[in-house]
Amino acid sequence: MSEKLLNIEDLSIHYFTENREVCAVNHVALSLDKGETLGLVGETGAGKTTIALGIMRLVPNPPGKILGGRIELEGENLLEKKNSEMQKIRGAKVSMIFQDPMTALNPIDTVGDQIAECIRLHSHVSRAEAALKAAETLEMVGIPRERYGEYPHQFSGGMKQRIVIAIALSCKPELLIADEPTTALDVTIQAQVLDIMNDLKNKLNMSMILITHDLGVVAEMCDKVAILYAGEIVESGTAEHIFDDTRHPYTIGLFGSLPSVAGQKRRLTPVAGLTPDPARLPAGCKFAPRCPHRTPECGQEEVALREVSPGHWVRCRNLEHVKGRE
Amino acid sequence: MYRYILKRLLMMIPVLLGVTVIVFAMLQVTPGDPARSILGDDATPAELEAKREELGLNDPVVVQYVRYLADMLRGDLGESYTSGRPVLQEVMRRFPTTMQLTLVGISVSIVLGILLGVTSAVNKGKIVDKVVTVVGMIGISMPAFWIGLLLSQVFALHLQILPATGWYGPRYWVLPALTVGVNGAAAIMRTTRSSMLEVIRQDYIRTAEAKGAPRKSVIYHHALKNSLIPVITVAGLRVGIQLGGAMVVEMIFTIPGLGSYLVDAISFRDYPAVMGGVLVIAVTFSLVNLLVDILYAFVDPRIRSQYGGGKKRKFQKKEVSA
C-alpha cells in the first residue's frame, strides 16, 4: 500500500504579467502513495489549481512558468518530459476533473464521443470498440447508455460533472486530480458526485488529489491533507493530524470559519484580513500579517516546515504559543 | 428542420417583392430614355414616341410595375430591349459563369482566411501573428478593382504566366478569383482570429488538452469547429458582396458573366435586363443566407435543437427533466 506514486519537490510556479511576477506556487513539496487521497486545501488564489495544472504540465505559458523543482510520477520526472510524451501521460496515467462542469465539455460534440476520444487517444481500439467502452464508462457514472449521442446542453450540471468524471476515468488513470469537483454543484448533487468518485477510486485502485476549500469534503474523502497559503504549504499531515491536532494558526482559522451543524450556535471566527497579493508577498511568514499569534520575528525571516510529530509538518515558529483549537 | 426551411423559403417572397419595388423605382428615377438608346440619336420624335408606346413606357408606373409582376409570376421576365431575346434565357446563360467566379472566389477567401486566421490566433502576439494581421489590414483596405488591375499588370503583362481576359478554364480563373477573394480572405481571417482567440480560452479546450489530445486535434477539432459560427456568417455575407463585386471584376477581366451583362444593360437603359439580372442575384443571395442558417444548425447542436428536430427533441426533453 505504501508504494510511492507521486512525489513533488521544491515546485515553484510563477506567472509573469506585464510588470508583475505573481508567485503562485513557492517551493511546494508533496507526496502521494498508491491508493491514497490527498486533500489540497486553501483559499481562492492559494495556488491549488496551479499545482494541479503543473502536474498536468498544462500551466498556461505564457504567462505561467514552472521555475523549478521536480514532479515525479512513478520515479520519472514529468518536468523533463517532452510535450509528446506528456500527451501520452495526460488522460491515461494522470487525469484531471475541472471545477466548472458547465463549461468543461465541448458543446458541439456528443458526450459519448468526448469520452470515446480519450479512449481512442490512449489505446489502439477501433471506433466501435471505443464507443462501446465509452458507453460502459457512462453507465459506470450512472448515466444510461442511451444518452451517448446527446450533447452537453441536454444535461443538468450534476450530470455534466459525471460526464467529466467519466472522461477522466475512461482510461483508468493511476492518479486523478479533482479540482474543486463539487464547488459548482448544489449540495445534494455534491454528495452524489463525491460518492461516485470515492466508489470508482476504490474500484479502480486510483490515487487522488482532491482540491477543495471545503473541510467537510476533506474529512469525508482524504487520507492526507496539505493546507496551502499564498503558494506555500503551511501544514500537512494525515487527516487525523489536521483535524484532531490542528497546529498552524491559519488552519485553526479555517476551522473557526466553519459553521458547525451539530454543535451549539456560536459566532463564526473568520480569519481577519485578506490573502496577500501574490505579486508582493510579505517577507518572512506569509501569514504573519493576519496571524493572531505573530511576534516581531515572524515578519523577518523565512519559516521552515517543522515536523511536530511523525508525518505532521507545520510552518510556524511560534508553535509553543499557539494553542490548538478547542 | 424541414418546416423551418419551408418557412424561410416562404419568407423569401416578400424580400424579393421588395427588391423588385426598389429596383423598379430606381430605374424610373434614373435619367435616360430607353427608346433613344434603342433607336439611336437620329431618331425622330415620332419614332421615339411610337417606340415608347410599344414598350409600354407611357403607362403609369404602377401599371407598368403590376404588368411586370404578372409576367414575372408566369416566369416571363420580358425581352431585352437591345437584343430582343427573352431576359430569363440570357440571364441564365450568363449566370453559371458568375456563380463559378463567386464560388471559386469565396473558396479562396475561406481557405486563405481560415488558415491565416488560425495561424495568427495560435501564435498570438508572436511575429507571425503581427505579419498576418498587417497583411489582413492591407487586404481588407484594397478595393477589388485595384487588386484586379494590379494582378493583371504583374501576372499577365509582366510575367506573362496567366491570361488577363476570358473565361475558358481553370487557368483563366486564377486572377479573377484572387481579385474577388482577397477582401473576403482578409475579412474571414480577422473573424476567424478573434473567434479562435475567444474559444481557445474556454475550459473545454483545457479539458481536451487534459485528455492528452495532440495540439493539432485541439486546434482544428475542438477550437476551430467551435469558432466557425461567426466565420460562416461572414463567409455568407461575402458571397453576397462578391456577387455584386462580380460586375467590377467581370469588366476588368472581360468575363462574359452576369456582372458585365448588367453593366451593359444599365448603360443601355435596358430595363427588363437590369430587373432580371438583379432579381437572379437577389434570389441567389437569399438562398445563400438560408444555406448559412442551415449550416449553423449543422455545426452547432444547440442551434439545431432551436430549429426543432421533431420526435428526437420530445424524447430528450423528457429525459432531462427526469
Side-chain angles (χ1 to χ4, degrees), chain A residues 188-204:
Chain A
T188 46
I189 308 295
Q190 277 183 16
Q192 279 180 19
V193 167
L194 287 176
D195 268 359
I196 289 177
M197 281 174 51
N198 225 353
D199 240 37
L200 295 175
K201 186 206 135 202
N202 293 331
K203 211 181 279 174
L204 304 176

Side-chain angles (χ1 to χ4, degrees), chain A residues 53 56 58 87 90-91 98 100 103-109 114 117-118 121-122 147 150-151 153-154 167, chain B residues 203-204 206-207 209-215 217 221-222 225-226 299 301-302 304-305 315-316 319-320:
Chain A
L53 291 176
M56 298 292 284
L58 284 177
Q87 279 166 10
R90 282 181 209 134
F98 293 101
D100 188 355
T103 55
L105 294 170
N106 187 337
I108 61 172
D109 279 351
Q114 295 190 49
E117 182 192 4
C118 193
L121 280 169
H122 298 294
R147 303 196 62 181
E150 291 182 26
Y151 294 92
H153 70 276
Q154 295 166 319
I167 292 175
Chain B
D203 286 353
Y204 54 81
R206 203 172 49 178
T207 308
E209 284 178 325
K211 275 184 208 174
R215 195 170 163 72
S217 146
H221 178 81
H222 293 278
K225 252 179 111 180
N226 275 290
V299 171
R302 288 165 297 184
R304 208 176 309 155
S305 65
F315 162 73
Q316 284 154 2
E319 284 285 305
V320 171

Side-chain angles (χ1 to χ4, degrees), chain A residues 38-73:
Chain A
L38 167 73
L40 265 186
V41 184
E43 278 169 278
T44 307
K48 297 166 294 182
T49 303
T50 305
I51 292 179
L53 291 176
I55 299 171
M56 298 292 284
R57 283 268 309 276
L58 284 177
V59 178
N61 176 21
K65 213 166 178 187
I66 300 179
L67 291 183
R70 299 172 66 78
I71 300 176
E72 282 172 2
L73 184 74

Side-chain angles (χ1 to χ4, degrees), chain A residues 45-291:
Chain A
K48 297 166 294 182
T49 303
T50 305
I51 292 179
L53 291 176
I55 299 171
M56 298 292 284
R57 283 268 309 276
L58 284 177
V59 178
N61 176 21
K65 213 166 178 187
I66 300 179
L67 291 183
R70 299 172 66 78
I71 300 176
E72 282 172 2
L73 184 74
E74 294 179 313
E76 289 179 55
N77 189 353
L78 296 184
L79 296 183
E80 287 165 0
K81 296 273 181 200
K82 280 187 281 203
N83 207 7
S84 56
E85 293 173 302
M86 277 313 294
Q87 279 166 10
K88 294 200 182 86
I89 293 172
R90 282 181 209 134
K93 283 189 159 179
V94 187
S95 282
M96 188 158 170
I97 297 172
F98 293 101
Q99 182 169 355
D100 188 355
M102 297 303 175
T103 55
L105 294 170
N106 187 337
I108 61 172
D109 279 351
T110 66
V111 296
D113 284 349
Q114 295 190 49
I115 302 171
E117 182 192 4
C118 193
I119 296 170
R120 273 161 51 80
L121 280 169
H122 298 294
S123 50
H124 296 281
V125 292
S126 69
R127 236 164 231 281
E129 280 173 83
L132 200 70
K133 276 193 175 174
E136 283 166 12
T137 317
L138 262 184
E139 288 198 325
M140 199 166 80
V141 295
I143 292 174
R145 63 171 68 206
E146 289 75 41
R147 303 196 62 181
Y148 184 96
E150 291 182 26
Y151 294 92
H153 70 276
Q154 295 166 319
F155 291 86
S156 66
M159 286 193 137
K160 275 187 208 166
Q161 191 61 299
R162 292 190 207 190
I163 292 161
V164 173
I165 293 172
I167 292 175
L169 298 187
S170 59
C171 291
K172 306 194 169 46
E174 287 167 53
L175 173 62
L176 176 69
I177 305 172
D179 184 2
E180 307 199 25
T182 56
T183 307
L185 305 175
D186 62 61
V187 189
T188 46
I189 308 295
Q190 277 183 16
Q192 279 180 19
V193 167
L194 287 176
D195 268 359
I196 289 177
M197 281 174 51
N198 225 353
D199 240 37
L200 295 175
K201 186 206 135 202
N202 293 331
K203 211 181 279 174
L204 304 176
N205 193 26
M206 289 184 302
S207 311
M208 182 151 83
I209 296 180
L210 183 65
I211 296 174
T212 178
H213 45 235
D214 185 338
L215 285 167
V217 171
V218 173
E220 207 171 306
M221 307 270 293
C222 299
D223 308 307
K224 291 210 281 195
V225 185
I227 311 283
L228 229 62
Y229 183 80
E232 279 182 349
I233 290 179
V234 293
E235 184 165 6
S236 70
T238 62
E240 289 77 25
H241 286 145
I242 304 294
F243 281 86
D244 303 334
D245 184 24
T246 318
R247 300 299 286 272
H248 196 279
Y250 176 62
T251 319
I252 296 170
L254 281 183
F255 280 106
S257 40
L258 206 64
S260 99
V261 180
Q264 72 276 47
K265 282 183 194 148
R266 61 174 173 89
R267 269 204 162 280
L268 295 182
T269 44
V271 185
L274 294 171
T275 28
D277 177 356
R280 280 177 296 143
L281 289 176
C285 174
K286 311 285 179 284
F287 185 62
R290 301 170 74 184
C291 183

